[in-house]
Amino acid sequence: MSGGGGPSLMDSLFQRTLDDLIKGIRLHLPGAAQSSFISKSLDEIRREIKSTDSQTKATALQKLTYLHSLHGIDMSWAAFHAVELTSSPSFLHKKTGYLAASLSFRPSMDVLLLLTNQLRKDLSSTNQHEVSLALECLSVICTPDFARDLTPDIFTLLSGKNFIRKKAIACLLMVFSQYPDAVRVCFKRLVDNLESADNAQTLAATVGVFCELASKEPRSYLPLAPEFYRILVDSRNNWVLIKVLKIFAHLAKLEPRLAKKVVEPICDHMKRSEAKSLVFECVRAIVSSFYEFEFAVKLAVAKIREFLLDSDLNLRYLGLQGLLLVAPNHLWAVLENKEVVIKSLSDVDRNIKLEALRLVMSMVSDDNVVEICRVLIGYALKSDPEFCNEILRSMLSTCSRNVYEIVIDFDWYVSLLAEMARIPHCQNGEEIEFQLIDIGMRVKDVRPELVRAGRDLLIDPALLGNPFIHRILSAAAWVSGEYVKFSRNPFEIMEALLQPRTNLLPPSIRSVYIHSTFKVLSFCLHSFLLPGKGVNSSRSNFVDIEPGFTYSESEQEFTETDHATSSSGFNKRDTFTQEAVVNMLTLVITSLTPLAESHDVEIQERVRNVLGLAQLAQQEISCNHDQKEKMVDKVDLKTSIIIRLINDALSEDFGPVSLSAQERVPVPNGLVLEENLSKLDSICADVQLSISESFSLVKPILLPTDGDSVSNQQNEEDSETSPAESMSLLAEHRKRHGLFYLPSDHNKNASSSFPPANDPNQRDNDVEDLVKLTDESLVLKRKPGSNRPRPVVVKLDEGERLPITVKKTDENDDLISGAVRDVLLGNEASLHSSNPSGRRKGESHSKDKVENFETGNSSKRRSKHRNHGKYVEDKEENSEKSKKKSGGRHKARRRADGGIDVAVQKQVIPDFLL
Amino acid sequence: MIHFVLLISRQGKVRLTKWYSPYSQKERSKVIRELSGMILTRGPKLCNFVEWRGFKVVYKRYASLYFCMCINQEDNELEVLEIIHHYVEILDRYFGSVCELDLIFNFHKAYYILDEVLIAGELQESSKKTVARLVAAQDSLVEAAKEEAASISNIIAQATK
């Protein structure tokens, strides 16, 4: 035995075979033992794979392939060995090499370059199994380089033996997508394969390629319609027919005459075929592309019904899917099968339940929304938690679609939201919270009901224990505080807000509770101390209010103008007795005093504000006790003055803010935003200024630096403490709820230096603004059938919260279809040269298109962006968008000017899933 | 088009993976984890389709093995079910009533057969007979290569190299 051959022979004699490896892995328990065995085997493989004996090498590579594909072990390091084995004369080794390559190679590997020659050699081999190996490998790992270099070889195979031809055809799809210019070479042969239907398998492969191509850009393949039609009529091969149907579903949308012609044969197939897959494909084609042909749709719906009533769950599922496709154009089909759909909501299979839910949602209209929601709530209550939430989620999104388009009775909707909150599994707190507040701001008429619903949620101590609905409670607290004037009994709300179990709430929500306490407190004090003045006296100038001003007691009939009048249903005189108010003050002080030392700054700050007011009021009101309630005295009290101010601050309505509000603000002449900010920065270096404060508010927060000018203005008429306190409260309020403020006369604000927020002149403008806004864009839809008119819903811009669906096409697809068009139209000029000027133009055009899609996309993203006031983010996104845009444009220009070879351009592999 | 084929045992062990669309190794293991979590937990006698990240996964259980194929939303689910069945039947003929162990110890053969059934994510051969014939032809080529390697002259050539 020679010295050189020895170890190699020993290696191959004692090498663990694949069987040994697999047995070994099975012997070791999963976990540490197994992984240590695998790493030991890996060490062996590393050694063996370097062997000069190709059998040893092949076995090592096979073992590694096994570990890679089933245990996810990295094998990129062995890529070279795989390439080496593909060139082995032994078929067995070649096969092993190709298997490893097709399972593990990535487009980024350098080693791929080494494979090109071997692939070419094998593609032109006389052994058809070797050709087959090469084609299979190529169909998986094809890169632009491979595609460019091997196109001629594949072209020759397109007219070879059937066994090879079908593989070569299938491979073309990959080649085209990597190297669109290959279309110019191969397309004609591909079409020839469509015409010569001598072999079913090659025809199937060809149609498969066209099906994939047409799904991306159907227009280019319209000229081939006669061929496809022939196949549709003649073929009896279901695999082929399914693909052809898909192609026609795409083409028919583009060419109505074609649709007319093919609808008959499709119906024939649907009637005749026994194969459910083919029948379903016919149904799908009809309902998605041929929905204008009444008789065809009727037939399709009949087939869908058969599916729905079948005992096979798969068919039931597909039946529901079919209905879902019919729904947009032929709702009657869904309504006809209503019982089946509703029954499917309680199916054993979750997937079927989900489809049924989608269908039910597609049926919803303003006429039946109440009924359907009632049914769904019933199902939600008896479903498992997951599906229950699915139901709630789809109800919420359907009802809120397009600014609550389908909701007519908002009182009902609010009570529905409240009911959802009480469903034990409800986990949609965030969305419900958003909608409760959103409706409160948009729909004035619903506020009394909103407060009633909020009260019911707040006073229930059991709800506080469920963390999932804390967000809803937060909304309830906010609503109860903000619209407390509609409350029947504010004291009850106060008790609810201060109940001991509120300590279960997280700090952020607790601070909302405390702030609502503040609002309720100031409302009560106001009603007690200044009963003659309207709660919203700020609407009209409070000094001018006539003494005999009375309230309208009716609950429902308040309008825009008498909004100042409180419509609360209780009798003020009786409710706001001295005793009740004193009790309330005691309650506030005793419950909140412990929190004044809270570690959470939000809570601490708010509690101190409330306590400040409450203690002041308590002192004065208790002192006043002996004087037997003298109105005159009350009005003169310090507390009264403060309360008046606070109420002014709080009584302003919040409205929804348009998403584009910030963009609509014109930058006044001479105002350079960046400069201004940098100055601010240097002025108040020690004051922390967050960007949002300086940007986001229409009526800005009173910054610490501006305190002087403001208080100067007020000092003359007020006592010392009140302005400062009320200002700080107001500022805090705005800071907290800044995002809900309505946009108004921006110009004035942007140019002047932070005017006081409760300037009466300005408020008037605000009201006007609101009126103007609603006049401009509110959508009034009165249904003849409904006996109650739909309340006004403030809507700022069309398309708010309205997702825009944009189909993004691949740049490559455009290139491919461009090439296809050239070939099919026989455009000689462009056929010959591989990059004529026309091509370039087309390319830059396609680039533009892509760019447009990009813009659309980000606007969609933006409109989804729900947080109304976060302008800064929007703005940043905008600038990002414009940057991207300009970048894209630049690239397109560069591409069009400089003659960079198209083929060399780096291909971006589309990320299909992740 | 089929994006990938997975064979998963009832215990969640992967028996075969074939990817027709580009996925990195990290994505692959994530996909396998997610799907086996979704599919293995589904009870028997439910429908064979699951929606997953905007795709559809068609699966079918044969004995202890789940055969899963991922397709686009608009592809034909029933067709894919037939493809799965087609593949299983071919395996069954080849191994003579196939069981999980056959696929474990002959994983490469399972791949070779799959490669004769599917190419580039499309069905390439709908005739079971043809596939069987092709696979047999390849097997005989492999056998020939093995015999040659085992011949005495070859061993001598190896030893004296």
Side-chain angles (χ1 to χ4, degrees):
Chain A
M1 211 178 273
S2 76
S8 153
L9 191 62
M10 293 304 279
D11 263 356
S12 57
L13 277 178
F14 295 104
Q15 185 181 23
R16 239 191 261 268
T17 63
L18 178 65
D19 276 14
D20 297 337
L21 175 77
I22 296 170
K23 279 179 191 152
I25 291 176
R26 289 168 65 80
L27 266 178
H28 294 84
L29 289 173
Q34 200 178 65
S35 50
S36 80
F37 176 77
I38 289 176
S39 62
K40 210 177 93 204
S41 309
L42 265 178
D43 290 341
E44 285 171 13
I45 289 169
R46 273 175 210 278
R47 208 173 54 240
E48 291 160 9
I49 210 165
K50 291 187 193 122
S51 159
T52 50
D53 176 29
S54 60
Q55 177 59 40
T56 313
K57 193 191 272 288
T59 308
L61 188 67
Q62 198 176 32
K63 288 193 284 184
L64 186 58
T65 311
Y66 178 85
L67 292 177
H68 168 76
S69 73
L70 302 189
H71 294 269
I73 304 292
D74 174 55
M75 67 176 288
S76 52
W77 54 270
F80 180 75
H81 300 285
V83 174
E84 218 178 1
L85 276 177
T86 57
S87 63
S88 161
S90 157
F91 184 72
L92 172 66
H93 299 161
K94 192 188 279 292
K95 213 173 167 184
T96 311
Y98 271 122
L99 179 64
S102 72
L103 289 180
S104 70
F105 279 15
R106 309 247 161 254
S108 56
M109 284 180 174
D110 297 332
V111 134
L112 290 184
L113 291 172
L114 300 175
L115 195 58
T116 316
N117 262 328
Q118 188 56 42
L119 279 172
R120 183 175 290 142
K121 215 175 124 201
D122 285 332
L123 284 177
S124 49
S125 162
T126 49
N127 182 343
Q128 58 172 358
H129 293 289
E130 287 181 358
V131 185
S132 151
L133 285 181
L135 278 174
E136 258 145 19
C137 183
L138 190 63
S139 75
V140 176
I141 62 165
C142 193
T143 65
D145 288 343
F146 278 148
R148 191 190 54 227
D149 297 339
L150 299 173
T151 298
D153 302 274
I154 295 170
F155 175 74
T156 3
L157 296 175
L158 287 178
S159 54
K161 282 185 191 156
N162 282 335
F163 163 59
I164 294 303
R165 205 198 301 180
K166 68 182 184 204
K167 293 188 189 222
I169 291 168
C171 223
L172 274 186
L173 190 64
M174 197 67 179
V175 172
F176 285 174
S177 71
Q178 296 296 319
Y179 176 63
D181 272 345
V183 171
R184 289 165 205 286
V185 181
C186 301
F187 197 74
K188 211 158 168 308
R189 277 251 167 114
L190 188 63
V191 176
D192 289 346
N193 274 306
L194 203 59
E195 285 157 1
S196 64
D198 53 341
N199 182 296
Q201 302 305 328
T202 51
L203 181 65
T206 316
V207 173
V209 171
F210 277 113
C211 179
E212 285 296 314
L213 287 174
S215 72
K216 281 162 188 146
E217 215 289 304
R219 193 166 285 281
S220 319
Y221 307 96
L222 266 177
L224 292 172
E227 294 303 327
F228 296 134
Y229 182 76
R230 197 179 43 76
I231 298 170
L232 179 70
V233 177
D234 295 343
S235 179
R236 284 292 164 268
N237 181 337
N238 288 344
W239 306 100
V240 174
L241 283 174
I242 288 175
K243 302 268 190 233
V244 171
L245 281 170
K246 281 190 192 301
I247 295 174
F248 274 119
H250 291 300
L251 296 185
K253 284 179 190 152
L254 305 169
E255 180 55 81
R257 282 172 299 171
L258 182 66
K260 223 166 156 184
K261 193 141 191 292
V262 294
V263 70
E264 285 283 351
I266 295 180
C267 286
D268 286 347
H269 280 302
M270 192 156 46
K271 277 184 231 161
R272 268 209 314 263
S273 179
E274 293 288 312
K276 297 284 184 205
S277 54
L278 182 59
V279 171
F280 185 67
E281 199 56 54
C282 292
V283 168
R284 179 142 48 184
I286 294 287
V287 299
S288 60
S289 300
F290 300 88
Y291 47 80
E292 281 152 14
F293 300 90
E294 203 69 33
F295 66 97
V297 173
K298 282 218 171 96
L299 188 62
V301 172
K303 287 286 172 192
I304 290 176
R305 188 157 177 86
E306 278 175 32
F307 277 37
L308 284 174
L309 300 176
D310 203 288
S311 59
D312 184 351
L313 276 179
N314 285 338
L315 296 186
R316 289 226 297 273
Y317 175 84
L318 291 178
L320 291 173
Q321 285 227 311
L323 272 190
L324 207 55
L325 289 172
V326 196
N329 299 304
H330 298 277
L331 200 61
W332 56 267
V334 189
L335 297 173
E336 248 175 35
N337 296 295
K338 204 169 156 187
E339 318 81 60
V340 188
V341 174
I342 299 278
K343 221 178 81 196
S344 303
L345 277 178
S346 44
D347 200 282
V348 280
D349 192 335
R350 185 167 173 276
N351 290 355
I352 289 185
K353 286 198 283 190
L354 276 180
E355 287 304 306
L357 179 59
R358 279 179 206 167
L359 264 174
V360 171
M361 282 352 264
S362 77
M363 281 191 268
V364 172
S365 71
D366 44 12
D367 302 326
N368 59 15
V369 60
V370 179
E371 183 204 351
I372 288 182
C373 285
R374 205 191 60 232
V375 173
L376 285 180
I377 285 275
Y379 273 99
L381 279 169
K382 46 185 186 181
S383 300
D384 55 300
E386 200 182 350
F387 190 60
C388 165
N389 280 302
E390 202 66 56
I391 293 179
L392 297 184
R393 202 158 28 239
S394 47
M395 272 202 284
L396 287 169
S397 67
T398 308
C399 290
S400 65
R401 194 172 49 211
N402 214 355
V403 200
Y404 313 97
E405 197 176 38
I406 55 167
V407 180
I408 291 176
D409 184 353
F410 276 91
D411 286 357
W412 159 78
Y413 189 57
V414 166
S415 62
L416 177 76
L417 289 176
E419 203 177 331
M420 285 185 190
R422 289 170 179 280
I423 290 177
H425 303 305
C426 175
Q427 291 174 11
N428 291 290
E430 212 163 313
E431 179 63 23
I432 298 177
E433 175 198 28
F434 171 80
Q435 291 196 8
L436 280 174
I437 293 179
D438 194 46
I439 291 174
M441 290 187 299
R442 285 179 194 275
V443 191
K444 280 203 173 113
D445 300 14
V446 82
R447 285 172 191 169
E449 176 61 27
L450 206 53
V451 172
R452 195 153 45 229
R455 166 205 168 267
D456 290 348
L457 290 173
L458 286 179
I459 59 168
D460 188 345
L463 295 179
L464 284 162
N466 178 358
F468 288 118
I469 58 167
H470 281 170
R471 301 289 299 261
I472 305 172
L473 291 177
S474 157
W478 187 83
V479 164
S480 310
E482 185 61 25
Y483 307 119
V484 61
K485 58 176 176 272
F486 299 113
S487 167
R488 280 168 186 279
N489 186 351
F491 298 123
E492 192 182 45
I493 289 180
M494 185 62 104
E495 277 163 30
L497 288 171
L498 293 173
Q499 63 183 296
R501 272 172 75 89
T502 51
N503 61 9
L504 295 170
L505 293 168
S508 60
I509 291 169
R510 197 147 195 212
S511 46
V512 176
Y513 264 65
I514 293 164
H515 195 68
S516 295
T517 316
F518 179 74
K519 288 179 191 167
V520 177
L521 176 68
S522 71
F523 170 80
C524 293
L525 287 176
H526 190 269
S527 308
F528 170 63
L529 295 169
L530 310 157
K533 321 276 187 217
V535 178
N536 277 343
S537 49
S538 53
R539 292 260 167 232
S540 42
N541 203 332
F542 55 81
V543 186
D544 296 338
I545 281 190
E546 298 159 45
F549 196 79
T550 50
Y551 294 99
S552 126
E553 292 288 339
S554 64
E555 233 190 286
Q556 298 294 344
E557 293 173 40
F558 56 94
T559 58
E560 191 96 53
T561 41
D562 69 3
H563 192 259
T565 64
S566 160
S567 65
S568 38
F570 57 89
N571 190 331
K572 293 193 154 44
R573 280 299 128 112
D574 292 350
T575 315
F576 293 106
T577 56
Q578 173 101 4
E579 197 189 348
V581 172
V582 170
N583 284 343
M584 179 187 72
L585 286 171
T586 324
L587 174 72
V588 169
I589 291 169
T590 49
S591 349
L592 289 185
T593 310
L595 284 176
E597 304 300 325
S598 167
H599 290 301
D600 189 279
V601 277
E602 287 275 339
I603 294 183
Q604 197 187 50
E605 190 180 2
R606 276 151 215 265
V607 163
R608 294 201 168 195
N609 285 337
V610 179
L611 284 179
L613 181 67
Q615 277 156 355
L616 181 68
Q618 196 184 34
Q619 264 173 23
E620 295 192 326
I621 291 173
S622 318
C623 288
N624 227 19
H625 200 53
D626 310 329
Q627 297 173 14
K628 301 272 176 198
E629 294 195 27
K630 282 185 183 168
M631 287 304 149
V632 202
D633 285 336
K634 276 187 188 177
V635 176
D636 287 341
L637 284 174
K638 247 191 209 169
T639 321
S640 308
I641 299 163
I642 295 169
I643 283 295
R644 214 154 49 196
L645 287 165
I646 291 174
N647 257 297
D648 289 346
L650 294 181
S651 60
E652 191 184 335
D653 259 353
F654 296 132
V657 178
S658 161
L659 281 170
S660 56
Q662 180 72 19
E663 285 139 54
R664 284 205 293 254
V665 184
V667 178
N669 289 335
L671 176 69
V672 186
L673 287 170
E674 289 82 3
E675 202 179 88
N676 200 357
L677 278 178
S678 64
K679 251 185 212 162
L680 263 179
D681 223 26
S682 61
I683 292 169
C684 40
D686 49 342
V687 182
Q688 273 282 319
L689 256 181
S690 81
I691 306 170
S692 70
E693 282 176 332
S694 34
F695 255 119
S696 65
L697 293 178
V698 172
K699 287 210 223 124
I701 311 158
L702 297 168
L703 299 169
T705 37
D706 297 296
D708 290 346
S709 66
V710 175
S711 48
N712 281 345
Q713 237 169 323
Q714 309 247 327
N715 259 347
E716 292 153 29
E717 50 183 278
D718 297 331
S719 67
E720 265 178 33
T721 49
S722 59
E725 188 176 9
S726 80
M727 280 306 146
S728 75
L729 285 169
L730 174 65
E732 199 216 345
H733 183 264
R734 284 188 183 285
K735 204 151 72 191
R736 173 77 184 156
H737 296 291
L739 57 160
F740 300 124
Y741 277 64
L742 252 192
S744 67
D745 46 6
H746 312 285
N747 292 330
K748 216 169 137 191
N749 271 336
S751 53
S752 69
S753 64
F754 307 120
N758 57 350
D759 179 351
N761 297 328
Q762 210 172 313
R763 186 164 299 112
D764 287 342
N765 284 338
D766 247 18
V767 176
E768 272 168 31
D769 255 18
L770 182 63
V771 171
K772 216 161 54 195
L773 269 170
T774 45
D775 276 353
E776 272 166 13
S777 56
L778 89 141
V779 183
L780 259 180
K781 266 203 211 153
R782 291 230 161 96
K783 296 283 156 181
S786 64
N787 43 10
R788 246 179 87 183
R790 187 172 189 261
V792 174
V793 180
V794 182
K795 215 170 160 186
L796 292 169
D797 24 35
E798 287 302 317
E800 197 181 355
R801 295 188 79 188
L802 191 87
I804 310 151
T805 45
V806 187
K807 200 186 159 202
K808 197 166 182 177
T809 34
D810 204 348
E811 189 188 352
N812 249 345
D813 296 335
D814 274 5
L815 290 181
I816 294 174
S817 55
V820 168
R821 232 169 289 157
D822 287 351
V823 176
L824 281 176
L825 299 177
N827 190 339
E828 289 294 307
S830 52
L831 226 172
H832 286 307
S833 78
S834 65
N835 55 356
S837 56
R839 199 55 224 304
R840 291 246 162 268
K841 222 157 108 196
E843 196 195 331
S844 64
H845 171 73
S846 77
K847 191 79 200 176
D848 271 2
K849 235 164 146 189
V850 171
E851 198 178 287
N852 280 345
F853 287 137
E854 254 173 45
T855 323
N857 258 354
S858 55
S859 80
K860 164 186 162 196
R861 222 182 327 142
R862 206 147 44 81
S863 63
K864 265 184 174 169
H865 196 285
R866 270 207 216 125
N867 232 338
H868 281 219
K870 295 208 169 166
Y871 292 130
V872 189
E873 269 183 43
D874 270 5
K875 214 166 164 172
E876 271 171 12
E877 213 166 272
N878 267 346
S879 66
E880 213 179 274
K881 185 174 73 186
S882 63
K883 247 189 256 163
K884 214 196 277 170
K885 218 161 111 184
S886 65
R889 206 173 278 148
H890 176 67
K891 221 159 130 194
R893 213 182 298 130
R894 202 187 53 198
R895 186 88 42 85
D897 294 344
I900 303 164
D901 193 355
V902 192
V904 188
Q905 78 185 325
K906 197 133 169 93
Q907 293 295 334
V908 184
I909 304 289
D911 187 6
F912 282 108
L913 285 169
L914 304 160
Chain B
M1 127 176 222
I2 296 166
H3 294 291
F4 55 78
V5 177
L6 294 182
L7 262 66
I8 308 172
S9 78
R10 213 179 43 195
Q11 290 81 29
K13 291 255 192 308
V14 184
R15 295 303 179 207
L16 182 143
T17 55
K18 177 90 184 179
W19 309 84
Y20 296 103
S21 297
Y23 295 86
S24 72
Q25 188 59 48
K26 220 167 122 194
E27 290 163 349
R28 288 179 182 186
S29 10
K30 201 171 158 201
V31 167
I32 294 171
R33 217 175 28 246
E34 265 179 42
L35 280 180
S36 45
M38 256 169 93
I39 290 169
L40 300 183
T41 49
R42 279 172 68 80
K45 289 181 193 154
L46 298 182
C47 77
N48 295 96
F49 320 124
V50 286
E51 280 181 42
W52 170 77
R53 299 206 209 163
F55 293 88
K56 269 195 198 124
V57 177
V58 178
Y59 74 93
K60 184 143 186 168
R61 183 175 162 183
Y62 289 90
S64 57
L65 268 187
Y66 285 84
F67 289 69
C68 319
M69 294 190 182
C70 173
I71 52 172
N72 287 331
Q73 221 27 279
E74 62 273 12
D75 283 337
N76 194 313
E77 298 88 344
L78 294 173
E79 183 192 18
V80 177
L81 264 185
E82 284 174 45
I83 293 179
I84 292 178
H85 191 66
H86 182 62
Y87 179 47
V88 173
E89 278 189 329
I90 293 171
L91 286 175
D92 200 47
R93 277 189 199 192
Y94 182 82
F95 290 104
S97 82
V98 64
C99 67
E100 199 182 332
L101 272 183
D102 289 328
L103 298 186
I104 293 172
F105 284 100
N106 297 291
F107 89 102
H108 48 294
K109 288 188 177 163
Y111 275 110
Y112 296 139
I113 294 171
L114 184 64
D115 284 345
E116 291 301 332
V117 175
L118 297 177
I119 185 168
E122 300 281 346
L123 180 80
Q124 61 163 319
E125 184 56 69
S126 55
S127 153
K128 292 189 252 306
K129 237 188 232 159
T130 315
V131 175
R133 194 164 44 78
L134 290 169
V135 174
Q138 290 196 27
D139 277 353
S140 63
L141 276 177
V142 169
E143 284 309 313
K146 269 188 192 162
E147 269 171 34
E148 198 188 320
S151 70
I152 308 230
S153 57
N154 196 306
I155 291 180
I156 294 171
Q158 276 285 322
T160 53
K161 201 159 52 179

mmCIF file of all heavy atoms in Angstrom, chain A residues 567-580:
data_model
loop_
_atom_site.group_PDB
_atom_site.id
_atom_site.type_symbol
_atom_site.label_atom_id
_atom_site.label_comp_id
_atom_site.label_asym_id
_atom_site.label_seq_id
_atom_site.Cartn_x
_atom_site.Cartn_y
_atom_site.Cartn_z
ATOM 1 N N SER A 567 -77.872 70.657 27.970
ATOM 2 C CA SER A 567 -79.119 69.929 27.804
ATOM 3 C C SER A 567 -79.235 68.808 28.815
ATOM 4 O O SER A 567 -79.951 67.856 28.620
ATOM 5 C CB SER A 567 -79.183 69.347 26.398
ATOM 6 O OG SER A 567 -78.170 68.408 26.273
ATOM 7 N N SER A 568 -78.457 68.889 29.825
ATOM 8 C CA SER A 568 -78.504 67.790 30.786
ATOM 9 C C SER A 568 -79.896 67.670 31.371
ATOM 10 O O SER A 568 -80.594 68.654 31.564
ATOM 11 C CB SER A 568 -77.490 68.032 31.885
ATOM 12 O OG SER A 568 -77.461 69.391 32.175
ATOM 13 N N GLY A 569 -80.251 66.450 31.627
ATOM 14 C CA GLY A 569 -81.634 66.194 31.974
ATOM 15 C C GLY A 569 -81.959 66.418 33.450
ATOM 16 O O GLY A 569 -83.095 66.309 33.861
ATOM 17 N N PHE A 570 -80.992 66.740 34.239
ATOM 18 C CA PHE A 570 -81.309 66.847 35.675
ATOM 19 C C PHE A 570 -81.607 68.300 36.041
ATOM 20 O O PHE A 570 -81.217 69.240 35.343
ATOM 21 C CB PHE A 570 -80.161 66.310 36.516
ATOM 22 C CG PHE A 570 -78.861 66.989 36.237
ATOM 23 C CD1 PHE A 570 -78.486 68.132 36.925
ATOM 24 C CD2 PHE A 570 -77.996 66.468 35.291
ATOM 25 C CE1 PHE A 570 -77.298 68.737 36.668
ATOM 26 C CE2 PHE A 570 -76.798 67.081 35.035
ATOM 27 C CZ PHE A 570 -76.439 68.217 35.719
ATOM 28 N N ASN A 571 -82.235 68.427 37.096
ATOM 29 C CA ASN A 571 -82.557 69.765 37.546
ATOM 30 C C ASN A 571 -81.393 70.312 38.349
ATOM 31 O O ASN A 571 -81.042 69.818 39.412
ATOM 32 C CB ASN A 571 -83.818 69.694 38.416
ATOM 33 C CG ASN A 571 -84.340 71.087 38.698
ATOM 34 O OD1 ASN A 571 -83.563 72.045 38.734
ATOM 35 N ND2 ASN A 571 -85.638 71.190 38.888
ATOM 36 N N LYS A 572 -80.813 71.361 37.823
ATOM 37 C CA LYS A 572 -79.579 71.850 38.427
ATOM 38 C C LYS A 572 -79.762 72.289 39.876
ATOM 39 O O LYS A 572 -78.982 71.963 40.743
ATOM 40 C CB LYS A 572 -79.080 73.017 37.614
ATOM 41 C CG LYS A 572 -78.665 72.553 36.253
ATOM 42 C CD LYS A 572 -77.892 73.618 35.571
ATOM 43 C CE LYS A 572 -76.972 73.017 34.560
ATOM 44 N NZ LYS A 572 -77.544 71.987 33.747
ATOM 45 N N ARG A 573 -80.815 73.018 40.111
ATOM 46 C CA ARG A 573 -81.032 73.542 41.463
ATOM 47 C C ARG A 573 -80.981 72.416 42.495
ATOM 48 O O ARG A 573 -80.364 72.522 43.529
ATOM 49 C CB ARG A 573 -82.415 74.198 41.561
ATOM 50 C CG ARG A 573 -82.555 75.604 41.025
ATOM 51 C CD ARG A 573 -81.696 76.576 41.726
ATOM 52 N NE ARG A 573 -80.974 77.255 40.662
ATOM 53 C CZ ARG A 573 -81.129 78.516 40.316
ATOM 54 N NH1 ARG A 573 -81.800 79.313 41.038
ATOM 55 N NH2 ARG A 573 -80.530 79.031 39.296
ATOM 56 N N ASP A 574 -81.652 71.329 42.120
ATOM 57 C CA ASP A 574 -81.770 70.242 43.102
ATOM 58 C C ASP A 574 -80.469 69.491 43.276
ATOM 59 O O ASP A 574 -80.127 69.057 44.367
ATOM 60 C CB ASP A 574 -82.842 69.242 42.636
ATOM 61 C CG ASP A 574 -84.209 69.898 42.703
ATOM 62 O OD1 ASP A 574 -84.262 71.011 43.286
ATOM 63 O OD2 ASP A 574 -85.164 69.331 42.164
ATOM 64 N N THR A 575 -79.767 69.326 42.180
ATOM 65 C CA THR A 575 -78.596 68.469 42.251
ATOM 66 C C THR A 575 -77.428 69.156 42.941
ATOM 67 O O THR A 575 -76.785 68.589 43.810
ATOM 68 C CB THR A 575 -78.171 68.064 40.839
ATOM 69 O OG1 THR A 575 -79.320 67.689 40.128
ATOM 70 C CG2 THR A 575 -77.173 66.934 40.901
ATOM 71 N N PHE A 576 -77.169 70.377 42.524
ATOM 72 C CA PHE A 576 -75.968 71.020 43.043
ATOM 73 C C PHE A 576 -76.265 71.752 44.337
ATOM 74 O O PHE A 576 -76.196 72.959 44.430
ATOM 75 C CB PHE A 576 -75.404 71.981 42.006
ATOM 76 C CG PHE A 576 -74.899 71.254 40.803
ATOM 77 C CD1 PHE A 576 -75.606 71.274 39.623
ATOM 78 C CD2 PHE A 576 -73.721 70.527 40.888
ATOM 79 C CE1 PHE A 576 -75.139 70.590 38.528
ATOM 80 C CE2 PHE A 576 -73.259 69.842 39.802
ATOM 81 C CZ PHE A 576 -73.965 69.868 38.607
ATOM 82 N N THR A 577 -76.619 70.983 45.345
ATOM 83 C CA THR A 577 -76.837 71.590 46.642
ATOM 84 C C THR A 577 -75.504 71.802 47.305
ATOM 85 O O THR A 577 -74.500 71.173 46.943
ATOM 86 C CB THR A 577 -77.672 70.680 47.534
ATOM 87 O OG1 THR A 577 -76.989 69.433 47.614
ATOM 88 C CG2 THR A 577 -79.065 70.452 46.965
ATOM 89 N N GLN A 578 -75.521 72.663 48.273
ATOM 90 C CA GLN A 578 -74.300 72.926 49.033
ATOM 91 C C GLN A 578 -73.731 71.627 49.578
ATOM 92 O O GLN A 578 -72.539 71.350 49.464
ATOM 93 C CB GLN A 578 -74.669 73.846 50.204
ATOM 94 C CG GLN A 578 -73.541 74.070 51.161
ATOM 95 C CD GLN A 578 -72.907 75.419 50.901
ATOM 96 O OE1 GLN A 578 -73.371 76.190 50.060
ATOM 97 N NE2 GLN A 578 -71.833 75.696 51.605
ATOM 98 N N GLU A 579 -74.617 70.810 50.101
ATOM 99 C CA GLU A 579 -74.179 69.589 50.757
ATOM 100 C C GLU A 579 -73.483 68.647 49.768
ATOM 101 O O GLU A 579 -72.404 68.122 50.029
ATOM 102 C CB GLU A 579 -75.395 68.902 51.380
ATOM 103 C CG GLU A 579 -75.021 67.874 52.404
ATOM 104 C CD GLU A 579 -76.244 67.077 52.824
ATOM 105 O OE1 GLU A 579 -77.369 67.483 52.493
ATOM 106 O OE2 GLU A 579 -76.044 66.039 53.466
ATOM 107 N N ALA A 580 -74.129 68.494 48.618
ATOM 108 C CA ALA A 580 -73.573 67.580 47.628
ATOM 109 C C ALA A 580 -72.194 68.020 47.191
ATOM 110 O O ALA A 580 -71.266 67.216 47.089
ATOM 111 C CB ALA A 580 -74.507 67.493 46.416
#
